[in-house]
Amino acid sequence: MKPRPATVHLPSPHLPDADWADRFELALNGKGLTAVEAAERSLGNSPGWVSALLKLRNRMVSLVGLKTEAPFPGKYGLIGPFPVLSRNDDEVVLGFNDAHLDFRIVVDVRAGSAVNQIVGMTTLIRRHNTLGRVYLAAVMPFHKVIVPTMLAGAAGRQD
């Protein structure tokens, strides 16, 4: 099964002031995948074309003074380029705050049918200013392709 858009509700306890959010879900055959494992598979092993786009993004945003990498490793280290803020078997929260926006990525797992589980990836954004709104609008077409691609990695990356 391919990742599909899912409903997300605001406010979220992970970023209570978020003013934008989306969510994708993927049904995986089998059981027992933890949220941390799903996040590592999804975010810790990007396909080459996603890595290339992120490098391009970093070069471009550095020109306007935005952060090009995480400012700190997070309480539980990093998964891919993202600081891990909290984690348990069912949910891992990643992200950081910046001058233009704050963001969180929430990867969660839950039981699906008797033979599968659902892995979800929610993106939460709190835009602080015009730059945050412009930035989000500029990356949105890429976000809508990259997030499902990354989430599909929870099933096992096949570059």
Side-chain angles (χ1 to χ4, degrees), residues 26-47 78-80 92 94 107 109 117 119 121 146-159:
L26 174 67
L28 291 180
N29 290 330
K31 299 264 188 182
L33 186 68
T34 68
V36 171
E37 291 166 338
E40 288 171 344
R41 287 183 183 184
S42 298
L43 302 168
N45 185 22
S46 301
L78 296 169
I79 294 180
V92 60
L94 308 101
V107 178
V109 295
Q117 69 185 134
V119 179
M121 187 177 293
I146 290 173
V147 172
T149 299
M150 299 298 287
L151 181 57
R157 179 76 57 217
Q158 298 174 8
D159 228 352

Side-chain angles (χ1 to χ4, degrees), residues 3-79:
R4 60 180 174 78
T7 303
V8 60
H9 300 284
L10 293 177
S12 166
H14 303 299
L15 191 59
D17 295 334
D19 59 6
W20 185 92
D22 73 357
R23 179 175 173 81
F24 291 87
E25 293 183 343
L26 174 67
L28 291 180
N29 290 330
K31 299 264 188 182
L33 186 68
T34 68
V36 171
E37 291 166 338
E40 288 171 344
R41 287 183 183 184
S42 298
L43 302 168
N45 185 22
S46 301
W49 67 269
V50 171
S51 297
L53 277 176
L54 290 176
K55 286 179 187 174
L56 177 62
R57 173 248 179 229
N58 287 344
R59 279 194 299 255
M60 292 174 69
V61 302
S62 69
L63 299 173
V64 293
L66 299 181
K67 293 176 184 160
T68 59
E69 55 186 52
F72 58 91
K75 183 176 180 181
Y76 300 98
L78 296 169
I79 294 180

